[in-house]
Amino acid sequence: MADAFNPEEMIERFQKRAAAVKSRPMPPVEGAERAKFVEQASVDYFDYAVIGDAVAKLEDGILTLTIDLRPPES
């Protein structure tokens, strides 16, 4: 598995997932269901975007993701 696994490709897939969530159309729901959909889309986007911004390193079969969560410097 580790020999065929490409961490950069995994990161690219998460970047594409984040973009897909951003462009996901709103289904024809209203009220509480609409709010749940919007909240889930927000969580999905955050999760995919965080991993999509990671720096991946695979050494000796161990995948390490480095994710800088510090706010950008002004």
Side-chain angles (χ1 to χ4, degrees):
M1 168 72 182
D3 292 336
F5 177 72
N6 184 327
E8 287 80 22
E9 289 176 358
M10 182 195 74
I11 297 296
E12 287 177 22
R13 287 191 300 272
F14 274 90
Q15 291 169 344
K16 289 178 183 176
R17 287 180 179 131
V21 170
K22 277 282 214 194
S23 64
R24 185 185 300 167
M26 179 67 68
V29 294
E30 296 183 26
E33 289 299 315
R34 182 181 183 92
K36 285 170 44 177
F37 180 88
V38 170
E39 175 62 26
Q40 187 61 54
S42 176
V43 170
D44 289 347
Y45 176 76
F46 180 81
D47 291 347
Y48 293 142
V50 165
I51 295 176
D53 286 343
V55 175
K57 181 173 71 170
L58 182 61
E59 288 183 349
D60 298 323
I62 298 173
L63 174 64
T64 304
L65 300 177
T66 303
I67 303 168
D68 188 350
L69 297 176
R70 297 174 290 189
E73 294 184 23
S74 299

